């Protein structure tokens, strides 16, 4: 087994069996600008603690897989430029060569599972990009959800992606997609996408039971919990849609490819909305952190 560096807080939680919630670091290094990225990361961790669980932010630092970061490590990561973005394909290479990198949803799921953490909260997942029928650009997050038994809480996926195709791939891969408290699949900044969610549940307890039932049946993979953004933080679709279109055109014009696509689009949208998208993003991540903590707590009440 690979050596994992645990923060003191996470090590104590593992010993006592306290509920743990994993958090990714690509959202910090590639998903939000400094200093809002580190402020948000701290607020998300505080929200999880306030809800009675323990946060475990995951990253690779100087070749070591960290589960739980100190305040200083978090700050350094948030300020750093040119930090590698690590998905399933990059994680082991980064560790083997002594590198430093931030983990995507896929890589965070892998690390969380190695650390025995069953729940992970974030903002949005990667998915099938628009034009994937020619570019083949499909995030490794989707295959990871089909493989690794971690429940991922997100606010759905951004409309920078092709949402119908993303749902199709998740269905093909056998990933349960569970909308929370509504029948529609939420679309990140908006509670609605116009697409029905395959599954819907109302409580953290139900979601925890669903995870354990999958495990009891020997089914591989996790589940995607699609938690709608709080109403007060929503951005209407007619405001976001033209900005997304402009971001996609800019990416096309700049010839952006591969793993640079998602960060490029996110950065473009943050700049174009002058912080409004960032405010919404922060609100939905906090909301997901709260639900993640509730699910983690519910899991501790169920038989293993
Ligand atoms: N979508 C967002 N915010 C993010 C990401 C996606 O709304 O921060 C990040 C996540 O880390 C996700 C990754 O796992 O981008 C997906 O990148 P790619 O499409 O290259 O797999
Ligand atoms: Mn991609």
């Amino acid at each position: 087994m690979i050596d994992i560096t645990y923060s003191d807080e996470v090590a104590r939680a593992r010993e006592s069996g306290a509920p743990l919630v994993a958090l990714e670091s690509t959202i910090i290094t590639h998903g939000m600008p400094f200093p809002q990225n580190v402020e948000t990361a701290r607020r998300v961790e505080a929200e999880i603690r306030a809800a009675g669980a323990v946060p475990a932010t995951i990253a690779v630092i100087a070749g070591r897989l960290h589960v739980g970061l100190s305040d200083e490590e978090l700050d350094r990561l948030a300020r750093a430029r040119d930090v590698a973005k690590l998905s399933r394909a990059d994680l082991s290479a980064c560790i083997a060569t002594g590198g430093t990198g931030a983990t995507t949803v896929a890589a965070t799921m892998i690390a969380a599972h190695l650390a025995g953490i069953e729940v992970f909260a974030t903002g949005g997942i990667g998915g099938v990009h628009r034009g994937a029928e020619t570019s083949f650009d499909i995030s490794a997050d989707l295959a990871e959800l089909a493989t690794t038994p971690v429940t991922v809480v997100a606010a759905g996926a951004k409309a920078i992606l092709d949402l119908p195709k993303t749902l199709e791939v998740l269905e093909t891969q056998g990933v349960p997609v569970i909308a929370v408290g509504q029948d529609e699949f939420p679309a990140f900044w908006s509670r609605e996408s116009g697409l029905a969610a395959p599954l819907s549940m109302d409580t953290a307890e139900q979601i925890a039971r669903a995870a354990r039932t999958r495990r009891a049946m020997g089914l591989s993979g996790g589940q995607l919990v699609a938690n709608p953004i709080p109403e007060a933080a929503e951005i209407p679709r007619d405001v976001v849609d033209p900005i997304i279109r402009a971001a996609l055109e800019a990416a096309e014009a700049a010839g952006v490819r591969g793993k640079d696509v998602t960060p490029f689009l996110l950065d473009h949208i943050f700049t174009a909305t002058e912080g409004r998208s960032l405010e919404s993003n922060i609100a939905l991540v906090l909301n997901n952190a709260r639900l993640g903590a509730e699910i983690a707590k519910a899991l501790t009440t169920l038989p293993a």
Side-chain angles (χ1 to χ4, degrees), residues 129-155:
H129 282 265
R130 299 192 195 187
E133 59 275 27
T134 52
S135 69
F136 278 48
D137 191 348
I138 301 174
S139 174
D141 291 352
L142 302 186
E144 203 60 52
L145 280 161
T147 309
T148 301
V150 173
T151 292
V152 178
V153 184

Side-chain angles (χ1 to χ4, degrees), residues 10-271:
V10 171
R12 278 196 302 273
R14 280 165 49 83
E15 257 166 50
S16 67
L20 277 153
V21 179
L23 298 165
E24 63 158 308
S25 43
T26 295
I27 190 176
I28 301 171
T29 56
H30 295 72
M32 289 185 188
F34 182 83
Q36 289 95 335
N37 59 353
V38 65
E39 286 162 15
T40 304
R42 291 208 174 102
R43 283 178 67 190
V44 167
E45 291 195 342
E47 200 75 28
I48 289 170
R49 291 187 191 104
V54 175
T57 304
I58 290 171
V60 177
I61 302 173
R64 296 202 52 97
L65 181 58
H66 285 248
V67 175
L69 299 181
S70 69
D71 222 37
E72 199 208 332
E73 286 163 341
L74 198 67
D75 191 72
R76 230 181 298 139
L77 200 65
R79 286 173 192 273
R81 302 199 173 265
D82 298 322
V83 178
K85 172 182 160 188
L86 309 175
S87 191
R88 167 176 273 262
D90 323 285
L91 188 57
S92 49
C94 181
I95 292 169
T97 58
T100 292
T103 51
T104 62
V105 168
T108 304
M109 289 179 72
I110 294 169
H113 182 50
L114 287 171
I117 303 174
E118 294 174 79
V119 186
F120 159 26
T122 187
I125 60 155
V128 181
H129 282 265
R130 299 192 195 187
E133 59 275 27
T134 52
S135 69
F136 278 48
D137 191 348
I138 301 174
S139 174
D141 291 352
L142 302 186
E144 203 60 52
L145 280 161
T147 309
T148 301
V150 173
T151 292
V152 178
V153 184
K158 286 201 172 98
I160 56 172
L161 301 170
D162 187 319
L163 298 184
K165 286 195 183 75
T166 299
L167 288 176
E168 288 295 345
V169 169
L170 287 166
E171 186 189 8
T172 302
Q173 301 263 358
V175 177
V177 176
I178 306 164
V180 181
Q182 65 182 34
D183 294 326
E184 209 168 317
F185 183 69
F188 202 82
W189 292 295
S190 159
R191 295 170 67 84
E192 279 128 45
S193 65
L195 301 165
L199 299 164
S200 171
M201 293 185 191
D202 294 322
T203 68
E205 153 93 342
Q206 291 171 327
I207 295 164
R209 273 187 198 285
R212 285 291 167 80
T213 305
R214 267 180 86 74
R215 189 162 87 181
M217 294 180 74
L219 294 170
S220 62
Q223 25 182 34
L224 176 60
V225 176
N227 190 27
I229 184 172
E231 251 163 77
E234 258 192 305
I235 307 182
R237 267 201 274 172
D238 57 331
V239 175
V240 176
D241 280 351
I243 293 165
I244 289 173
R245 266 198 302 280
L248 290 164
E249 274 162 28
E252 183 68 34
V256 181
R257 292 281 176 275
K259 63 199 297 173
D260 295 334
V261 171
T262 300
F264 180 94
L265 295 172
L266 298 180
D267 182 58
H268 196 281
I269 292 165
F270 287 143
T271 309

